[in-house]
Amino acid sequence: MSVARSPRRAQDALDAQPTRQAVLDAVLLPAGWLLGRAGDGFRIAMNGRHGGRIGIAACSTPRHRVSASPAGRPSRPPPAHTGYSVADRALQRHGGHGCLSEYGIQKNVRDLRVHQFPEGTDEIMRVIVARGLTEAFG
């Protein structure tokens, strides 16, 4: 029985968030340490990711304006997409200089691009939002 962590993975973006694997080999825990019911682990883990989604939105753009859709309901693109769009335009405006590390624009573009999918693809996010709205409003 052992618990270990893998070496840090090399990554081009999000240096402040190192990526590693937790490696559990034949680990046995007392039954009293079980969170929830047996077999519910995946559901519990996926529900725990909702907080990460909120964090990604917060990291991607500090202020995000809500606009009205034609139906009169608030609508907005995900904050990560808005942040990436702004960074991408900055990169375009700076031309080749935008790719130089001294300007920092290329790092913003990479980091914000990565923010678009760490907590699930757009399609998964739409399913989660739709499920939440259905549960809340029938």
Side-chain angles (χ1 to χ4, degrees):
M1 173 174 79
S2 68
V3 177
R5 65 181 187 178
S6 68
R8 181 176 175 170
R9 291 177 149 180
Q11 55 196 51
D12 288 332
L14 302 176
D15 291 335
Q17 300 172 359
T19 303
R20 297 177 190 262
Q21 287 181 318
V23 181
L24 308 174
D25 183 27
V27 174
L28 299 174
L29 300 173
W33 289 14
L34 185 65
L35 302 175
R37 293 178 302 191
D40 281 350
F42 181 76
R43 183 187 55 77
I44 291 169
M46 292 299 102
N47 284 336
R49 295 189 64 134
H50 292 309
R53 291 180 176 100
I54 293 167
I56 290 298
C59 290
S60 298
T61 184
R63 291 179 177 221
H64 191 67
R65 202 174 280 185
V66 176
S67 60
S69 69
R73 295 188 189 121
S75 67
R76 57 186 176 168
H81 291 282
T82 302
Y84 177 77
S85 177
V86 169
D88 187 56
R89 283 195 308 255
L91 182 66
Q92 290 292 326
R93 289 194 173 120
H94 281 79
H97 290 329
C99 296
L100 300 174
S101 60
E102 65 191 78
Y103 287 88
I105 297 169
Q106 45 78 29
K107 179 155 179 36
N108 287 330
V109 170
R110 280 197 321 262
D111 286 354
L112 289 165
R113 176 66 181 118
V114 171
H115 281 177
Q116 290 180 325
F117 49 78
E119 298 298 337
T121 65
D122 288 347
E123 292 79 14
I124 291 170
M125 297 296 283
R126 286 184 187 106
V127 168
I128 291 168
V129 168
R131 186 179 301 144
L133 290 172
T134 301
E135 289 172 2
F137 300 107

